[in-house]
Amino acid sequence: QVHFVESGGGLVQPGGSLRLSCKASRRIFPAPAMDWYRQAPGKQREFVAGITTTDTTNYADSVKGRFTIWRDNPTTTMYLQMNSLKPEDTAVYYCKSPVGDWGQGTQVTVSS
């Protein structure tokens, strides 16, 4: 399995932006499907955004128009650009692919 490491989280004010990265332990070709999930304390893990093997993207309704997912070519890193952040976006964010396992995630905190 490929190991992924998430990074880029931090503390940001409402309305601010963050860019998350998910670095693969090795080059991946062809590009696999990749997804971002998040989990807030006391809540179940939820899907945030995904990109398919053909670069089709999809987003949870709660983040449409605010978040963007993409990856480099060949795939070593995928990204999640998060704009117009809201307090309800506060969670640990994880990347996931069928070729990899769950990582430790990266904490995103949106607070004034």
Side-chain angles (χ1 to χ4, degrees), residues 47-50 57-65 67-70 80:
F47 172 81
V48 176
T57 58
N58 62 303
Y59 301 90
D61 288 341
S62 60
V63 306
K64 285 181 179 178
F67 291 10
T68 304
I69 185 173
W70 78 98
L80 184 69

Side-chain angles (χ1 to χ4, degrees), residues 29-104:
F29 185 85
M34 291 183 173
D35 302 287
W36 285 98
Y37 289 80
R38 67 187 182 189
Q39 186 168 24
K43 299 182 179 179
Q44 66 180 356
R45 185 173 57 210
E46 65 176 348
F47 172 81
V48 176
I51 184 166
T52 72
T53 57
T54 55
D55 291 334
T56 298
T57 58
N58 62 303
Y59 301 90
D61 288 341
S62 60
V63 306
K64 285 181 179 178
R66 300 189 297 120
F67 291 10
T68 304
I69 185 173
W70 78 98
R71 60 187 165 205
D72 60 4
N73 186 16
T75 301
T76 56
T77 308
M78 72 168 181
Y79 305 90
L80 184 69
Q81 178 67 43
M82 307 186 297
N83 298 326
S84 302
L85 284 162
K86 301 183 289 186
E88 51 262 46
D89 295 318
T90 296
V92 177
Y93 284 70
Y94 302 89
C95 61
K96 183 68 176 74
S97 171
V99 304
D101 295 323
W102 296 102
Q104 292 299 114

